[in-house]
């Protein structure tokens, strides 16, 4: 997926998994959201968002698997980011995870065995279980930035939010420091 970490990232996979909700309760649905930012507004509004049922206009960011229940083996929801194919005007991509809320309010602490994995090829860049944001219902998990050389770099950026997915998508790019 990548030509070597020291040359920058080319293709990254973000996966989220969780256990299904107990029988008789509403299904838990975690969603991966990616927001792209241009050089002109790296901390402004996103140029576009990729989330459940969508992909980037140029096909460089796709949500390959979208689970609404957490059922299945391995990672229930998987997003692929082909950073090396993003147009030169893009400087930053922020990835987050939000809980689609059923009737009751849930936080990451309510979701059993929830975790996220970020990898390039066989190399894990990060893996964590949302413990840092267990009282929240949305969180950023990664920031990818383009260096002046054109190489993409990863930075772990975990910050929790109390927001519905739409509000979170507008707020998540304003995160500067974890």
């Amino acid at each position: 997926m990548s030509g070597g970490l020291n040359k920058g990232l080319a293709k990254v996979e973000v996966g989220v998994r969780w256990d299904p909700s107990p029988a008789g309760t509403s299904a838990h649905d975690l969603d991966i959201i990616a927001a792209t930012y241009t050089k002109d507004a790296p901390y402004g509004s996103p140029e576009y968002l990729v989330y459940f049922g969508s992909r980037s206009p140029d096909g460089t960011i796709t949500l390959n698997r979208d689970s609404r229940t957490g059922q299945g083996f391995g990672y229930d929801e998987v997003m692929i980011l082909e950073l090396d194919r993003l147009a030169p005007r893009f400087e930053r991509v922020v990835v987050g995870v939000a809980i689609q809320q059923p009737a009751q309010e849930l936080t990451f602490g309510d979701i059993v065995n929830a975790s996220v994995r970020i990898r390039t090829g066989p190399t894990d860049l990060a893996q964590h279980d949302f413990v840092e944001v267990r009282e929240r219902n949305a969180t950023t998990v990664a920031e990818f930035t383009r260096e002046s050389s054109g190489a993409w770099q990863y930075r772990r950026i975990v910050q929790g939010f109390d927001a519905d997915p739409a509000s979170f998508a507008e707020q998540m790019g304003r995160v500067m420091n974890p």
Side-chain angles (χ1 to χ4, degrees):
M1 284 183 159
S2 173
L5 295 179
N6 59 352
K7 295 180 183 176
L9 300 169
K11 191 173 184 180
V12 176
E13 175 187 283
V14 178
V16 176
R17 68 177 169 190
W18 66 97
D19 286 353
S21 59
T25 63
S26 299
H28 303 329
D29 182 7
L30 277 61
D31 289 315
I32 302 172
I33 303 168
T36 60
Y37 301 89
T38 62
K39 290 179 182 180
D40 296 336
Y43 295 94
S45 294
E47 176 82 9
Y48 61 81
L49 299 169
V50 178
Y51 51 92
F52 51 92
S54 71
R55 67 180 214 145
S56 62
D58 59 4
T60 58
I61 303 174
T62 56
L63 188 59
N64 290 351
R65 227 178 295 159
D66 180 21
S67 174
R68 296 177 191 260
T69 63
Q71 293 178 320
F73 297 104
Y75 287 84
D76 304 304
E77 189 147 318
V78 177
M79 181 176 279
I80 304 294
L81 298 92
E82 295 181 66
L83 299 169
D84 62 335
R85 290 186 47 228
L86 275 170
R89 75 178 188 277
F90 293 105
E91 179 175 287
R92 185 170 177 250
V93 178
V94 177
V95 179
V97 177
I99 301 171
Q100 284 286 354
Q101 296 292 325
Q104 76 273 17
E105 292 290 320
L106 297 174
T107 65
F108 287 107
D110 298 321
I111 311 292
V112 177
N113 292 323
S115 67
V116 62
R117 178 183 70 192
I118 303 162
R119 66 185 339 188
T120 183
T123 305
D124 285 353
L125 300 172
Q127 193 165 7
H128 60 87
D129 59 6
F130 300 108
V131 169
E132 295 168 71
V133 292
R134 68 182 160 273
E135 305 285 326
R136 308 294 186 184
N137 62 14
T139 184
T140 54
V141 295
E143 176 187 57
F144 301 96
T145 54
R146 189 188 309 250
E147 295 181 340
S148 59
S149 68
W152 285 90
Q153 300 300 316
Y154 160 78
R155 181 170 73 114
R156 182 180 192 272
I157 184 168
V158 177
Q159 181 174 334
F161 293 81
D162 291 316
D164 62 85
S167 298
F168 169 60
E170 281 297 318
Q171 297 172 28
M172 63 192 267
R174 296 190 184 107
V175 173
M176 295 178 150
N177 294 312

